[in-house]
Amino acid sequence: MCHTLFVNVPVDHLDHRVRGGWTPSGAADAALPAHASRWLSARTGLTPVDTPVAPDSGLPVPESGLPALVRTVLADIVGAAHVLVEREDRLGRAGGLSYVDLLARRGAGELPVPDAVVVPGDPDEVREVVSACASHGVGIVPFGGGTSVVGGVSALRGDKVAVVVLDLARLDKLVSVDPVSRLAVFQAGVVAPEAERMLAAHGLTLGHFPQSYERATLGGFAATRSSGQASAGYGRFEDMVEGVRLATPRGDWRLGVSPASAAGPDLRQLAIGSEGLFGVITEVTVRVRPAPAWERYEGFVVDGFAAGAEIVRALAQGGVLGTVTRLSDPQETEVALTLSGGWKSAAVRGYLRARGVAEPSLLVIGWEGATKDELLTRRRATLRLVGEAVRLGVRAGERWRHGRFSGPRQRDALMDVGMCVETLETATYWSKLGDLREAVREALLRSLTTDGRRPIVACHISHSYETGASLYFTTLVPRDTDDPVGQWRRAKQAASEAIVGLGTITHHHAVGVDHAPYLASEIGPLGVDVLRAIKAELDPSGVLNPEKLV
């Protein structure tokens, strides 16, 4: 989501466990401003309905089915205090943060609750827990920040006697830093802001800033092939990974010994994106860079999404993208102009009309550099290709940067008043980008438009490459109170079917449960068989993250 309704909540105030949403309980910014509610009512037909998160005591939680013998074995490995079976602890790691997950915490739909939460203290304990669970037929769901929006951390047991969540919160250490090679080794449970804090002490940065940044872990980034908002400058997470350590039912597996190798296929890339099916990632060796001394963000407006996409393509193919390069379509720009009080929308709209802009599309570009001269040199190279875009200046760019992680809290507030609000993403080649955007927009609008409900389908380009770009969609529509889960599932199915044949089913959200039905269309039945064969080799008893990916 592109609009900024609230200020950011300090990271250290966030509860590690998943509750009813992203926003900490009692946070001062966790409310929808009156002007936003009025506009949404007029624009979408929303009739605000108070739909708060249900208290833990109001949610159905079955008794733990973890066999006593297994509980004893696990307690011997990690300590009895780190095998959690209480209701609150299990609910706190039940599912992720998708719209459907959060509906369940409002009393609509089912929430798979694990039989126990196991919190190991180091990679060796993880390996022993994985081995014990494999021996006793207990499913294992690796859990980092719990930010999956595709069912990737749902506690599904499959055919196992029980399922435990393996919470990696105690694997929170920076193992080593090699400033000469610009490498750092982290344990997998390190949360992204902590990683940046640790690296800052060495004058370094990872530069990975997805919207899940406040909660997500480095292990989770690797397991899902994450992509951050600064991917144009730093690359996707798989580009940053130089090595991984996994705990598998067959033992420890370490990959990555040099910056490049011809020793067969790169098996690191097999582990990255494996979503916990082939092993539990316990350590990640990442490429780091000197922290930038200078930053500058600016806003521009282009007339129409197609014209903006051509500018971004020119920047990508010319090798002059900003560290952050983000294009919002007219619908997303409309939401930003209307709901963000700081934009002074009437004045901005008048200014743009005077400049002949009929369909405003917001373009945000940010540059970083070790010196001011380096930054300005990069900026000049970019601006040569920006063309006729209307410049809004630093204030607009800084406003975006200030609210860059606020989307999840905005969703909480919108859900509280009865909105269905969810996102999905894809990517394709430049020649197909317009067709893909229109196909997905049409599928979402067609499936969500009913009497009295008028959906908003907004889109932006968040990641760009020489050959193509990603499209990230945000949908807002009044919730169907009779069938809220079905309302979104039908829309997601329609959008996914529209994507098949035009783009990838997922650019950075991963496969999980939601995208698994479409994986064969992308990699072919033979590709699925290959993944199943690898899983059978590494996880013969099938205990790792049951019912995900394949």
Side-chain angles (χ1 to χ4, degrees):
M1 299 171 67
C2 69
H3 47 286
T4 304
L5 302 180
F6 320 117
V7 297
N8 285 338
V9 172
V11 172
D12 59 3
H13 290 175
L14 290 168
D15 188 345
H16 167 73
R17 290 170 295 179
V18 174
R19 295 296 188 179
W22 202 276
T23 311
S25 177
D29 65 356
L32 191 68
H35 76 276
S37 183
R38 289 192 298 269
W39 181 79
L40 285 168
S41 295
R43 177 67 172 77
T44 69
L46 172 69
T47 300
V49 178
D50 188 25
T51 54
V53 175
D56 284 356
S57 60
L59 296 173
V61 178
E63 293 295 318
S64 172
L66 185 67
L69 172 61
V70 179
R71 182 176 178 180
T72 299
V73 170
L74 295 175
D76 287 343
I77 297 170
V78 302
H82 301 299
V83 180
L84 313 176
V85 295
E86 295 302 317
R87 170 195 187 91
E88 179 180 294
D89 294 312
R90 293 190 289 131
L91 260 179
R93 283 84 162 183
L97 285 165
S98 73
Y99 174 69
V100 171
D101 288 331
L102 299 185
L103 277 178
R105 293 181 179 275
R106 285 165 165 77
E110 297 180 0
L111 190 66
V113 179
D115 294 293
V117 177
V118 182
V119 193
D122 58 41
D124 291 334
E125 288 189 359
V126 174
R127 185 188 66 247
E128 291 183 49
V129 168
V130 169
S131 177
C133 287
S135 297
H136 293 277
V138 173
I140 307 164
V141 179
F143 190 95
T147 62
S148 174
V149 293
V150 293
V153 294
S154 293
L156 305 178
R157 71 174 61 202
D159 61 354
K160 306 307 168 191
V161 297
V163 60
V164 301
V165 160
L166 192 62
D167 190 333
L168 301 175
R170 294 172 65 206
L171 274 68
D172 59 357
K173 297 175 180 59
L174 171 60
V175 178
S176 65
V177 177
D178 177 354
V180 176
S181 305
R182 291 186 179 175
L183 296 174
V185 180
F186 284 96
Q187 292 184 337
V190 175
V191 180
E194 274 299 292
E196 288 295 332
R197 184 190 64 78
M198 293 173 181
L199 289 173
H202 300 272
L204 300 169
T205 182
L206 181 59
H208 192 68
F209 304 108
Q211 196 169 73
S212 61
Y213 170 78
E214 294 172 323
R215 283 185 181 271
T217 62
L218 301 199
F221 290 154
T224 59
R225 303 185 80 89
S226 174
S227 192
Q229 295 168 346
S231 63
Y234 292 94
R236 288 165 57 88
F237 199 74
E238 68 256 32
D239 302 323
M240 303 175 182
V241 176
E242 292 291 327
V244 290
R245 178 181 178 185
L246 298 93
T248 81
R250 296 190 57 185
D252 231 25
W253 194 19
R254 295 174 183 262
L255 295 165
V257 298
S258 68
S261 171
D266 186 354
L267 294 181
R268 288 175 302 181
Q269 294 302 322
L270 183 65
I272 300 168
S274 58
E275 302 186 35
L277 267 76
F278 302 156
V280 179
I281 295 174
T282 56
E283 289 182 355
V284 185
T285 303
V286 288
R287 182 199 67 209
V288 293
R289 296 182 181 178
W294 292 84
E295 298 177 322
R296 181 183 176 97
Y297 284 72
E298 295 183 28
F300 305 81
V301 171
V302 184
D303 192 5
F305 181 78
E310 280 300 297
I311 290 174
V312 176
R313 180 174 71 87
L315 296 176
Q317 295 179 344
V320 291
L321 287 164
T323 305
V324 170
T325 306
R326 180 186 179 99
L327 174 72
S328 296
D329 72 358
Q331 290 74 28
E332 188 168 276
T333 303
E334 176 193 12
V335 174
L337 283 169
T338 306
L339 297 188
S340 176
W343 271 72
K344 299 180 180 177
S345 60
V348 173
R349 290 178 187 279
Y351 173 69
L352 295 176
R353 281 196 298 269
R355 300 293 298 272
V357 177
E359 293 187 299
S361 289
L362 176 66
L363 174 64
V364 173
I365 305 178
W367 301 270
E368 297 179 358
T371 66
K372 185 176 182 180
D373 285 345
E374 178 188 339
L375 183 150
L376 293 177
T377 297
R378 294 190 62 200
R379 178 176 178 270
R380 281 193 295 269
T382 301
L383 294 184
R384 280 196 290 269
L385 296 179
V386 170
E388 300 300 315
V390 177
R391 298 187 185 184
L392 297 180
V394 172
R395 185 176 180 183
E398 286 297 322
R399 188 162 188 84
W400 174 83
R401 180 164 69 161
H402 178 71
R404 65 193 298 182
F405 304 126
S406 63
R409 283 185 294 284
Q410 295 166 10
R411 182 181 62 173
D412 292 347
L414 290 163
M415 288 187 68
D416 287 346
V417 297
M419 289 294 287
C420 167
V421 52
E422 184 59 299
T423 63
L424 60 90
E425 39 72 61
T426 179
T428 193
Y429 299 117
W430 288 112
S431 59
K432 297 180 179 180
L433 198 73
D435 291 341
L436 178 59
R437 173 174 169 265
E438 287 305 313
V440 175
R441 272 182 49 78
E442 173 59 28
L444 290 169
L445 289 169
R446 183 176 63 251
S447 62
L448 290 170
T449 301
T450 60
D451 291 341
R453 297 192 185 97
R454 301 179 296 278
I456 298 171
V457 177
C459 176
H460 66 254
I461 291 175
S462 53
H463 311 279
S464 303
Y465 311 93
E466 184 177 355
T467 56
S470 70
L471 293 174
Y472 190 96
F473 294 87
T474 300
T475 301
L476 299 95
V477 67
R479 185 181 305 145
D480 181 344
T481 55
D482 293 329
D483 185 16
V485 175
Q487 177 189 27
W488 175 247
R489 290 208 185 281
R490 289 188 292 272
K492 180 64 182 285
Q493 179 180 350
S496 298
E497 291 172 354
I499 288 170
V500 172
L502 285 174
T504 176
I505 195 60
T506 175
H507 173 263
H508 58 268
H509 281 173
V511 176
V513 173
D514 293 1
H515 295 145
Y518 307 96
L519 185 62
S521 296
E522 185 160 331
I523 67 173
L526 181 57
V528 174
D529 287 345
V530 169
L531 293 179
R532 286 178 175 150
I534 294 166
K535 181 169 177 61
E537 186 68 24
L538 294 171
D539 178 22
S541 56
V543 297
L544 293 171
N545 216 4
E547 301 187 45
K548 316 294 168 39
L549 189 63
V550 294

